[in-house]
């Protein structure tokens, strides 16, 4: 035998899971399917799992990440659909009617889970670019390209238009345009129909050619893996603006402007942003506390909401770094390492740091 | 291919064993050479005798267990990349009782951890699957695989060695030819039995994703390896190329909706194989239809029960194992909560569904949190396809008799496998009053899971892997 005996029987340790393998306590069991609190918790747990998957030996497990992403999408639909005070843009003209969502998401067959709600009757953001058909969502990262610039621009416009909104609302709103830009499949995938056919080449500058054979880390997008997109596969609202992928679903914006089209991102973008939100979440958690709690999500909501407008006006370069910082993945230098340019981080104010971490 | 028909085992045998008062004796194996061991005892009939192998050689968690085609050999793979092969002791007139005892036959390091520098990925050395080839000569051959590489190992015995070389002396040092005055013919002299394992083929660099299954074809010339998105067909003699026969990778990875979770060749028809998916579906493919079997010949799917919908419906419907019956007429699938038997001629629903641990259905959120919901349980048929077995938590494993529709829960643990112990049926108390011997759901130890089990091809001998322990149970019917 070439190995030392390692007693592992009876010891069940896994990052992001309970030490002993016993059933977790009551909070989880009390949560019923369809409750917002339940969805909230599940979303944060799922993000943690995605983050942990990046640091596990053996590389990203495609199967497990796919399953986690499906759970995330289900939870997100409930998360969105449950009207929570302040979480929706009640006063916003473009606010979609939240109750519509539960009906649709609850629409019976399993297929309903994967298909985007019909575009009809959805809110339209008062933004220059095509509107998302749903309110901003705590979007988990998409494997597709994000257009932070477009997102931010839209978000900025939106915010400036309604800064009186509740922090959560602002945070949500930020998500919206970004979502739009991404045009994710599934979930808010209805937006894909709204966008012009984005060129596949839009992904080029990202350095993430579609259909990369060796894309081991191509975990499916959280939101959209299941349903084939109704329209373009790559519907970036403004593809040239910033082709670099962004993952963190929670963070709405990025810099007000993005690197010029075709510019090389500072770090090689992840092929799939699946890990990002989890990574970001975990990083945020690490910054705040060790435990994976649902409270941090609400914290980030208030953080973003109160400071986002200020953030937008800060140095765009710093903003870009935030986006940069969110990216990670198997292509990163070290698995599990958040790709943050530390010197840049130091120059960003604490809010930005939190966003970056997330 | 030889049809394997085992003796008919009914659940009564297990039940009776628990109520009789046999002097069942614990059956210990010979330890590996580096270990001192204590007891070797005999066993009697009419009960289940646990054979405990807490071998130090199995220092890591056992990740696969497989009998060979005769049941003479039992191979285990562990997370440390090692393979340990047990051999059944031959029946002898003097020691009738010792028949059935499995001793360590060979131990070797099959896979080592690797690092893919291009992707900055570490490749685990954990053995995912072992599959035996049918024996065709004195040596034994098996396939073992980790996440990326399949290896063909030859396990052979050597009990003679040549002596009397001219050009080298007994220690192997070269002799100066000038000093040689006479010539002799080397002769073979007996030596202590040595079992050596040599890697004969290495099938590498064919899988981008993690290999989850390998299956030897009934033609004994080819085998397939399946990862999350692709299945490749290999010829045993050719290591530098393989045929891709299934590819479900979408052009745009963002549209990925399901992955391959298990695959197996039909036991008799070398053109037929099945693969299961994370969506709970099984596809049967015929390689004669086309080179790339992306279009299935048959598609097995059970409509979902909408009343059971939850956040985790997709996860628990993901199939973790698929096995053809020995007859080739049925397939068995394992998802998180159930085992299903499908008739190849009926695609719209399984013919039998067995609840393994339905009491976990209300605990899915907690099981998601502690990652247990991602556990991949395997399932096995007995030799006659009349009983199916699969594992559960708390070191429990379950057997279902397809004919009598009875089932039993047994436990594989050191505490309950003392000498003279018999396996008592266990019961999980779902709610209400807990009886004396029952265990409540909340007391289950979810770190003790039985994922891997194996059933002897013709006899009622089962191998159960519980973390780093291997148990061999035997039921001898008078």
């Amino acid at each position: 035998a070439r190995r030392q005996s390692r007693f592992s029987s009876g010891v069940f340790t896994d990052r992001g899971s309970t030490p002993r393998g016993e059933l977790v306590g009551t909070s989880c069991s009390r949560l019923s399917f369809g409750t917002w609190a339940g969805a909230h918790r599940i979303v944060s747990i799922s993000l943690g799992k995605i983050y942990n998957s990046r640091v596990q030996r053996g590389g990203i497990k495609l199967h497990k990440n796919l399953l986690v992403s499906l759970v995330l999408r289900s939870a997100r639909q409930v998360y969105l659909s449950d009207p929570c005070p302040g979480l929706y843009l009640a006063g916003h003209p473009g606010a979609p009617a939240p109750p519509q969502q539960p009906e649709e998401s609850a629409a019976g067959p399993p297929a309903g889970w994967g298909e985007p709600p019909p575009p009809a009757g959805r809110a339209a953001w008062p933004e220059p670019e095509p509107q998302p058909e749903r309110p901003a969502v705590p979007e988990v990262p998409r494997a597709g390209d994000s257009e932070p610039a477009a997102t931010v621009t839209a978000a900025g416009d939106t915010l400036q238009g309604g800064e009186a909104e509740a922090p959560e609302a602002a945070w949500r709103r930020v998500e919206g345009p970004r979502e739009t830009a991404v045009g994710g499949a599934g979930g808010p995938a209805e937006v894909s129909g709204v966008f012009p056919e984005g060129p596949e080449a839009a992904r080029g500058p990202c350095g993430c050619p579609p259909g990369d054979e060796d894309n081991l880390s191509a975990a499916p997008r959280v939101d959209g893996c299941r349903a084939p997109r109704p329209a373009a596969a790559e519907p970036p609202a403004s593809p040239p603006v910033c082709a670099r992928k962004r993952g963190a679903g929670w963070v709405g914006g990025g810099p007000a402007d993005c690197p010029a089209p075709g510019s090389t991102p500072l770090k090689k973008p992840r092929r799939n942003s699946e890990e990002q939100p989890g990574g970001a979440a975990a990083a945020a958690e690490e910054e705040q506390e060790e435990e994976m709690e649902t409270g941090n999500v609400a914290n980030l909501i208030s953080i973003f909401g109160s400071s986002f407008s200020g953030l937008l006006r800060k140095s765009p370069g710093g903003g870009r770094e935030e986006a940069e910082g969110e990216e990670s993945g198997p292509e990163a230098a070290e698995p599990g390492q958040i790709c943050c340019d530390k010197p840049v981080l130091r120059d960003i104010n604490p809010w930005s740091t939190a966003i970056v971490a997330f | 291919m030889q049809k394997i028909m085992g003796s008919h085992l009914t659940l009564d045998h297990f039940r009776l064993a628990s109520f009789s008062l046999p002097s069942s004796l614990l059956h210990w194996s010979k330890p590996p050479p580096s270990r001192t061991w204590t007891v070797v005892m005999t066993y009697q009939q009419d009960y289940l005798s646990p054979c405990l192998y807490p071998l130090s050689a199995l220092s890591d968690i056992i990740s696969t267990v497989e009998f060979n085609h005769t049941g003479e050999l039992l191979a285990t793979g562990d997370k440390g990349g090692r393979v340990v092969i047990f051999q059944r002791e031959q029946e002898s007139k003097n020691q009738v009782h010792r028949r059935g005892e499995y001793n360590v036959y060979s131990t070797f390091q099959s896979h080592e951890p690797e690092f893919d520098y291009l992707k900055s990925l570490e490749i685990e050395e954990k053995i995912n699957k072992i599959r035996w080839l049918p024996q065709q000569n004195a040596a034994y051959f098996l396939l073992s695989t980790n996440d990326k590489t399949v290896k063909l190992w030859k396990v052979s015995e050597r009990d003679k060695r040549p002596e009397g070389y001219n050009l080298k002396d007994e220690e192997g040092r070269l002799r100066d030819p000038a000093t040689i005055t006479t010539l002799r013919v080397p002769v073979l002299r007996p030596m202590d039995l040595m079992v050596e394992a040599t890697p004969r083929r290495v099938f590498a660099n064919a899988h981008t994703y993690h290999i989850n299954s390998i299956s030897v074809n009934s033609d004994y010339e080819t085998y397939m390896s399946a990862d999350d998105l692709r299945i490749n067909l290999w010829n045993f003699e050719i290591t530098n190329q393989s045929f891709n026969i299934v590819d479900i990778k979408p052009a745009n990875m963002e549209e990925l909706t399901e992955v391959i979770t298990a695959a197996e060749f039909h036991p008799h028809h070398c053109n037929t194989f099945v693969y299961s998916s994370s969506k709970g579906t099984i596809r049967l493919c015929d390689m004669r239809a086309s080179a790339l079997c992306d279009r299935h010949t048959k598609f097995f799917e059970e409509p979902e029960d909408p009343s059971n919908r939850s956040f985790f419906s997709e996860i628990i419907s993901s199939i973790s194992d698929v096995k053809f019956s020995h007859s080739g007429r049925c397939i068995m699938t394992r998802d998180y909560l159930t085992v299903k038997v499908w008739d190849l001629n009926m695609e719209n629903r399984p013919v039998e569904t067995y609840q393994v641990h339905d009491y976990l259905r209300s605990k899915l959120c907690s099981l998601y949190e502690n990652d247990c919901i991602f556990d991949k349980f395997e399932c096995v048929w007995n030799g006659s396809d009349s009983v199916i077995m699969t594992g559960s938590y708390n070191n429990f494993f379950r057997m279902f008799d397809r004919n009598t529709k009875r089932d039993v829960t047994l436990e594989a643990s050191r505490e309950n496998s003392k000498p003279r112990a018999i396996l008592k049926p266990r019961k999980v108390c779902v709610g209400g009053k807990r009886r004396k011997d029952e265990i409540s759901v909340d007391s289950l130890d979810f770190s003790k899971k039985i994922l891997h089990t194996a059933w002897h091809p013709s006899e009622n001998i089962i191998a159960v892997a519980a973390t780093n322990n291997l148990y061999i149970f035997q039921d001898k019917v008078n």
Side-chain angles (χ1 to χ4, degrees), chain A residues 1-10 12 14 16-18 20-24 28 33-34 39 41-42 45-46 49 57-64 66-68 70-71 74-75 78 110 113 143-144 203 211-216 218 220-221 224-226 229 233-234 330 332-333 335, chain B residues 56-57 59-61 80 82 109 112-113 119-125 147-148 208-210 228-230 249 251-259 261 278-279 304 309-312 314-315 318-319 363 365-372 374 376 441-442 444-449 467-469:
Chain A
R2 289 161 62 171
R3 282 183 179 265
Q4 283 300 323
S5 180
R6 290 202 301 264
F7 179 72
S8 52
S9 168
F12 175 81
D14 195 351
S17 57
T18 56
R20 181 149 190 283
E22 288 168 341
L23 288 180
V24 176
C28 209
F33 180 55
R41 180 183 177 86
I42 287 174
I45 291 171
S46 305
K49 288 191 189 302
R57 269 191 91 208
I60 310 285
K61 301 279 192 291
L62 183 62
H63 184 199
K64 182 175 178 183
L66 172 63
L67 296 177
V68 171
L70 295 176
V71 171
S74 304
V78 173
W113 288 93
R203 291 164 69 92
D212 188 324
E213 278 300 297
D214 292 335
N215 190 356
L216 177 64
R221 295 166 47 143
C225 357
R226 184 178 286 195
R229 303 204 199 186
E234 307 294 333
Chain B
S56 67
S59 57
D60 291 322
I61 297 171
R82 286 184 311 170
Q109 187 77 29
E112 298 270 8
K119 298 177 192 147
S120 292
L121 285 179
E122 189 178 5
I123 299 171
E124 272 192 287
E125 68 276 25
D147 283 340
K148 296 287 183 180
T208 305
Y209 302 94
H210 294 137
D228 292 320
L229 298 179
R230 298 194 179 94
K249 182 177 185 219
N252 181 1
M253 277 300 283
E254 298 165 18
E255 292 165 16
L256 181 72
T257 59
E258 64 181 328
V259 297
T261 53
S278 56
K279 273 190 176 175
E304 187 187 356
R309 199 84 179 89
S310 76
F311 284 127
F312 311 106
E314 283 112 345
I315 299 186
S318 175
I319 292 176
K363 314 279 183 186
C365 185
S366 306
L367 294 164
Y368 178 72
E369 220 169 327
N370 65 12
D371 268 1
C372 283
F374 300 105
K376 297 192 179 158
V441 179
D442 295 314
L444 294 174
D445 187 346
F446 288 87
S447 65
K448 295 185 178 165
K449 54 194 82 172
T467 320
N468 61 344
N469 294 316

Side-chain angles (χ1 to χ4, degrees), chain A residues 131-154:
Chain A
Q131 304 301 327
E133 295 177 282
R134 260 216 233 159
V137 158
E139 193 55 56
V140 190
R142 312 151 168 269
D145 292 323
S146 313
E147 272 60 43
T151 299
V152 173
T153 308

Side-chain angles (χ1 to χ4, degrees), chain B residues 315-335:
Chain B
I315 299 186
I316 64 171
S317 66
S318 175
I319 292 176
S320 52
D321 194 16
V322 64
K323 290 271 172 46
F324 271 102
S325 62
H326 291 96
S327 63
R329 286 196 296 269
C330 299
I331 51 176
M332 167 168 55
T333 59
R334 175 72 155 99
D335 52 58

